[in-house]
Amino acid sequence: MNEISEAFNRIRKYINYTPVMSSRTLDNLFKAKISFKCENFQRIGAFKARGAFNAIIQLSAEERKRGVVTHSSGNHAQAVSLASTVLGVKSTIIMPSNAPKIKKIATKSYGANVIECDNNQSDIVERTNEFIDEHGSILIHPYNDWQVIHGAGTAAYELLQEEKNLNIILAPIGGGGLISGTSLAVKGLSPSTHVIGVEPQNANDAFKSFKDGTKIYPSIDPDTIADGLRTSLGDITFEVIKDNVKNIFTVTEKSIIEAMRFIWERMKIIVEPSGAVPLAGLFKINEENLIDIRGLKIGLIISGGNIDLSAFFSMLEKKIRTK
Amino acid sequence: MNEISEAFNRIRKYINYTPVMSSRTLDNLFKAKISFKCENFQRIGAFKARGAFNAIIQLSAEERKRGVVTHSSGNHAQAVSLASTVLGVKSTIIMPSNAPKIKKIATKSYGANVIECDNNQSDIVERTNEFIDEHGSILIHPYNDWQVIHGAGTAAYELLQEEKNLNIILAPIGGGGLISGTSLAVKGLSPSTHVIGVEPQNANDAFKSFKDGTKIYPSIDPDTIADGLRTSLGDITFEVIKDNVKNIFTVTEKSIIEAMRFIWERMKIIVEPSGAVPLAGLFKINEENLIDIRGLKIGLIISGGNIDLSAFFSMLEKKIRTK
């Protein structure tokens, strides 16, 4: 636990203490008390700011001079870009060419040097390693890094300060950084709380690895609308998950969109598909009676809110032009 | 002032105490401190719940038996429907046939009897009067009603509890209920604060009436994307505005969409076009240097967040089906 509270004290002046929200409709529907930890209101629009600040703050003066590098399809890219600029460190981000345009633009706008590469994971890692060999930059891995994990855990740390005696916390799983940090925060602050992961069925390497007990070789280019969860587990995150996570459920693409729509329409907040995955999981748990949730206190980590809205606003603009 | 604090105490257990949010980007851009009172998080998704509860609670037992009726294109309809159901009163809503579908569905779902009529204001009023003649129901006017105005003022009342010494409060103007209530709350709690109205250029009857000093005859069917602001001033709201509002500015359709997009993308909350009108006004004030806002503390009343998202989610669903 010390690592998470230390991380919290280290980064608190750089990040937002995000609000916890609820929905009267949902509580009535589930006969439970559901608390949403809203990391869509975090700086850069996602929890990733926490890990990036926690990792970069701790670099030595010599390391800071060398600059940092990472590979990311989006939110971690923006987080490293922002944290580097705020802390006066040079940053380079290797981004797959199919990363959402809005995330590419934002990453550049925070100050990073962006290099695009092919979409498959091996190319991304290769290009990053080449860059490190050439420039000696420090890698800030998107999730398989203790400082990044401890930073990510500060979201659950804040939630547990506000909501005592949660029975369950649900978090999405991509590379596993958020749920690893969450499970470590829970271990220290509220050991009786069960941490449950939710993963898109179309990118279910964590689910499979968890069931098998050994880390499976993931599919090369998983196709899910939850673009933040296309990554696969790292060695560190797999070990943390194996030891501290109670269960993992998978959800369909359709259910992710339904959960997202519920949050947008009923709660009036913008979450990206990845951020809606825990609610999709909760709908499934309830519908299929996987856990009897009546009367429980449940926390959901809404990981982020970065989604491309251009198409929607083009539609609105067209509407006023054609009048 | 007493009326507003009395209204607040009367309705507090039925409504949400909504959060005040801010944007680091915006504060840096304007070199000012901007506070958003987020009535998109209010019950039924808009400030209208405040006025409806305040009016209906105060009906006598005999009046409650007769039921209530109102005419509204949307948010007031939902508000009267919800408040009536919660308070055990029968409600009927006369809605124009061009009201947003999502608002019609929601109004019915809260329990009201909905009657559709033609889109022009005179037909709506005629049908309402006919209904009252026939059934003896009590009219809960959407804005030209002191109880509705005092209820609406409780949003600013809450904002002023949290944010002291605001220099300016900006509120949208449709029929004038929200800004009237706001200006009365300010008069009691913070008389040095200037209340400024913002109105769509395409539905500018309040702007014109305010400049002329006499209530002008409004256009029959004003065409603005801000569907909550198509209504025109009432006798009561015009008098309150004349006495207590400092100025009124108008904004273009394009600027309303731009402001809305800023709020969605940067603040990650869903506001309807009417709710973005005050920010469109602030952008105009800043760009055209109408007021030097540097260093000021400014409050914006975000009136609501009810917007039809079907087209957006159809797009997303199509995306996963075609893969």
Side-chain angles (χ1 to χ4, degrees), chain A residues 16 21 24 40-41 43 223 260-261 264 267-270 305-306 310-313 315-316 323, chain B residues 16 21 24 40-41 43 223 257 260-261 264 267-270 305-306 310-313 316 323:
Chain A
N16 294 337
M21 301 187 105
R24 208 184 283 251
N40 51 332
F41 295 130
R43 291 189 78 175
D223 182 19
M260 193 172 132
R261 184 168 186 166
W264 285 43
M267 300 180 65
K268 308 300 180 192
I269 61 175
I270 298 204
N306 293 326
S310 319
F312 179 74
F313 282 99
M315 237 161 35
L316 285 191
K323 267 184 178 165
Chain B
N16 295 336
M21 300 187 106
R24 207 184 284 251
N40 52 332
F41 296 130
R43 290 189 78 175
D223 183 19
I257 295 181
M260 192 172 132
R261 184 168 187 166
W264 286 42
M267 299 179 67
K268 308 298 180 194
I269 61 175
I270 298 205
N306 293 326
S310 319
F312 179 73
F313 283 99
L316 286 191
K323 266 184 178 166

Side-chain angles (χ1 to χ4, degrees), chain A:
Chain A
M1 185 51 212
N2 266 344
E3 290 89 352
I4 311 287
S5 61
E6 279 168 22
F8 176 73
N9 287 320
R10 201 176 282 129
I11 65 178
R12 63 190 303 172
K13 73 172 183 177
Y14 298 106
I15 58 156
N16 294 337
Y17 198 108
T18 55
V20 174
M21 301 187 105
S22 61
S23 157
R24 208 184 283 251
T25 311
L26 209 58
D27 286 358
N28 290 338
L29 188 70
F30 289 149
K31 296 179 179 49
K33 188 172 176 319
I34 319 296
S35 302
F36 292 78
K37 177 64 174 172
C38 293
E39 288 292 298
N40 51 332
F41 295 130
Q42 187 49 265
R43 291 189 78 175
I44 72 103
F47 77 96
K48 290 283 189 179
R50 298 175 182 271
F53 273 106
N54 192 45
I56 298 170
I57 287 174
Q58 295 181 75
L59 297 179
S60 69
E62 185 270 331
E63 287 170 321
R64 287 185 185 215
K65 258 189 215 153
R66 285 155 62 191
V68 298
V69 63
T70 194
H71 48 83
S72 161
S73 67
N75 288 334
H76 179 67
Q78 294 180 61
V80 169
S81 182
L82 173 72
S84 300
T85 300
V86 168
L87 299 169
V89 177
K90 210 183 131 184
S91 66
T92 302
I93 320 286
I94 316 290
M95 291 188 95
S97 54
N98 71 344
K101 197 177 158 195
I102 184 178
K103 293 185 178 177
K104 280 190 233 173
I105 293 171
T107 301
K108 285 179 196 169
S109 81
Y110 291 124
N113 169 35
V114 172
I115 298 176
E116 288 196 27
C117 71
D118 282 354
N119 296 331
N120 67 71
Q121 193 61 25
S122 62
D123 186 59
I124 293 164
V125 171
E126 202 179 301
R127 288 294 299 272
T128 307
N129 289 335
E130 280 169 20
F131 190 90
I132 292 171
D133 287 346
E134 199 176 330
H135 299 89
S137 309
I138 305 291
L139 176 66
I140 309 293
H141 194 280
Y143 48 86
N144 207 42
D145 174 307
W146 283 110
Q147 306 316 328
V148 169
I149 290 170
H150 294 152
T154 60
Y157 176 87
E158 288 177 8
L159 172 62
L160 291 165
Q161 305 290 332
E162 221 163 310
E163 294 296 328
K164 309 289 181 191
N165 308 315
L166 288 175
N167 301 98
I168 295 171
I169 293 186
L170 292 161
I173 307 190
L178 179 59
I179 197 158
S180 293
T182 300
S183 72
L184 295 175
V186 163
K187 197 177 181 180
L189 274 183
S190 179
S192 67
T193 303
H194 288 178
V195 175
I196 294 176
V198 189
E199 201 179 27
Q201 212 168 76
N202 288 4
N204 63 353
D205 69 292
F207 172 78
K208 282 189 186 163
S209 301
F210 186 79
K211 296 296 170 191
D212 285 8
T214 44
K215 195 154 97 54
I216 64 142
Y217 194 81
S219 61
I220 298 294
D221 186 17
D223 182 19
T224 170
I225 193 168
D227 56 281
L229 308 180
R230 288 179 194 145
T231 45
S232 42
L233 291 187
D235 299 327
I236 300 175
T237 54
F238 179 54
E239 290 304 318
V240 176
I241 289 169
K242 243 187 354 186
D243 292 348
N244 301 293
V245 168
K246 186 76 180 173
N247 209 342
I248 296 178
F249 296 113
T250 60
V251 292
T252 63
E253 296 296 292
K254 191 162 171 280
S255 76
I256 295 170
I257 294 180
E258 280 166 4
M260 193 172 132
R261 184 168 186 166
F262 185 95
I263 296 171
W264 285 43
E265 287 188 345
R266 299 304 188 109
M267 300 180 65
K268 308 300 180 192
I269 61 175
I270 298 204
V271 299
E272 60 185 272
S274 306
V277 161
L279 182 59
L282 191 59
F283 277 125
K284 176 174 171 164
I285 286 168
N286 187 55
E287 276 157 29
E288 300 182 9
N289 220 353
L290 303 173
I291 302 169
D292 184 358
I293 61 170
R294 284 171 301 176
L296 299 191
K297 289 182 72 179
I298 300 174
L300 305 186
I301 315 275
I302 301 297
S303 52
N306 293 326
I307 181 168
D308 193 342
L309 296 166
S310 319
F312 179 74
F313 282 99
S314 297
M315 237 161 35
L316 285 191
E317 275 160 20
K318 208 172 152 191
K319 206 167 154 185
I320 62 165
R321 274 202 310 272
T322 54
K323 267 184 178 165

